[in-house]
Amino acid sequence: MQRARCLRGILYFAPLAFLGVFYVYPLLSIFDVSLRPAGLLDLSSFVRLLSSDYYIGTLLFTIYQAALSTAVTLLLATPCAFALARYQFRGKTMLLSLATLPFVLPTVVVALAFATLLGANGLLNDALRTLFTLDYEPIQLERTLAMIIIAHVFYNFAVALRIITGYWSAVGFSVEEAARCLGADELALWREIRLPLLRPALLSAGVLVFIFSFTSFGVILILGGIRFATLEVQIYYQAVSMFNLPLAAALSLVQILSMLAMMIIYTSTQKRLQLAIASAKSVAKRARTLRERLGLGICAALISILLFAPLVALALRSVVVAGQLDFANYASLAEKSRGSLLFIAPLDAVFNSLRFALIAMTIALCLGLIASYMIEGRGPLSRIWDPLFMLPLATSAVTLGFGFIIALDEPPLNLRASWLIIPISHTLVALPFVIRSVLPSLRTIPRSLREAAQTLGATPVDSLLTIDLPLLGRGIAVGATFAFTVSMGEFGASLFVAQRESVTIPVVIYRLLGDPGMASYRQALAMSVVLMLVCACAFVVIERLRIAGVGEF
């Protein structure tokens, strides 16, 4: 027994040590640079932040666009969740599964997809100009807040939809039916019954969507630019373009504290939600009236148009050149375009991304499995492990990348110029997704099974191999796929730490978009479709393996 406890202590130390070295230490370095830029206490960077209308406006705009994105997402997802939870119809499972695809797509691909669909030279504007013989763009959304909000809704819609649908199926509709028998109309049902019952799910989904929108980087950088700069963009701009590390560190500190508060709220609601969703029973019924069928049709059309139109536009634009089908864009990936700022051919970045993703997946899966057991344990510290391991989710990848270049630049952790820094940063980003994939499966294993095995003489290792791992198989596979996909699409940290020959697919796409000429732009389109297909394949694996079609996110 003593040996088993010692072994468990050693295993538990591994994820804590990884988090301490590659998360806490870089963040403390940011604190040090922001509070002691010259080795002495200096709050001038914070004074500059607090006294500058520009930076206060940046913080307020970051909160505003995240809150607006969250509100619009919940406004669209809630009625769709009602239709999916209330009614049973052909293709429902497939529709709910396909709605998750945008969530696994990299933000840089999402941004380019919307630029391809709604940009000045996008497919929709081209079609309207041809149809009505116009000499101007009827849809002018480039570099606007509306474009950013639309992209955020596209990216986060599935998060809200799955959480609300799962919880609504759990609470059922019995209270609603009773209120209807007492004469409540549709408006009263929403105001007095549905929204109050859904408050935990709306809070959990809203906090998570707010976090993703608050820390959005690729969407803001490509679709908004410096005009709509958020804290994320300002951190990158101050650190890379202006070399003002103290100010960048001060901005990072503000963001870290803001997201820490949001993550505490999220983790406090998540376990209750997961228990409710795990006990959900199907309460769906067939749509009988014309009104119900029309509502379902509108819901399905909204989901389909919102989620698939940008992806179809991106795929079409990559293979249609001068009005004809042409795959030259993909053939050009093996060579550098003339005048390109890249140091390698775009196709080489594909192999870099695959290599880094496999390494990050392996590390994140091992650490995430151990962390899941720590969270599910009965020890006095088990309650703090969940928010602790979720901290990387609440910290932007840009902040992580910034912390790496500050902290990991001298022995014994001189990794700044090493390619290893990329899979390490990807592991930090992927770790929360692995935990949220494994943890629901772990919580469904009855403790009585382990106790019975122990009574029959099984050691903890025997219980792990013969009971836990077989029952955790699906969750582990989902977590591994999530980690691989997140690593393939990670953009913020990679943009900070990637070296010339170790750039990844998202970094190449961003740099190609900044190159002059159509050749680089077409390569960016082709690379985006390649990355989209990789993520789509991973999505298929996730949907086939995940439990009950819904999960923690």
Side-chain angles (χ1 to χ4, degrees), residues 2-46:
Q2 189 67 27
R3 182 180 178 182
R5 290 180 178 177
C6 182
L7 178 61
R8 184 173 60 184
I10 294 174
L11 290 176
Y12 280 10
F13 178 74
L16 293 175
F18 183 86
L19 205 64
V21 173
F22 297 114
Y23 177 77
V24 177
Y25 174 55
L27 291 192
L28 290 178
S29 299
I30 292 178
F31 276 63
D32 187 60
V33 170
S34 61
L35 299 175
R36 303 189 314 128
L40 299 173
L41 183 63
D42 184 356
L43 301 179
S44 59
S45 296
F46 289 96

Side-chain angles (χ1 to χ4, degrees), residues 283-304:
V283 294
K285 64 177 184 178
R286 291 283 181 182
R288 295 185 177 88
T289 67
L290 178 62
R291 180 181 177 183
E292 290 175 338
R293 292 173 182 173
L294 181 60
L296 285 178
I298 294 174
C299 172
L302 173 64
I303 295 175
S304 301

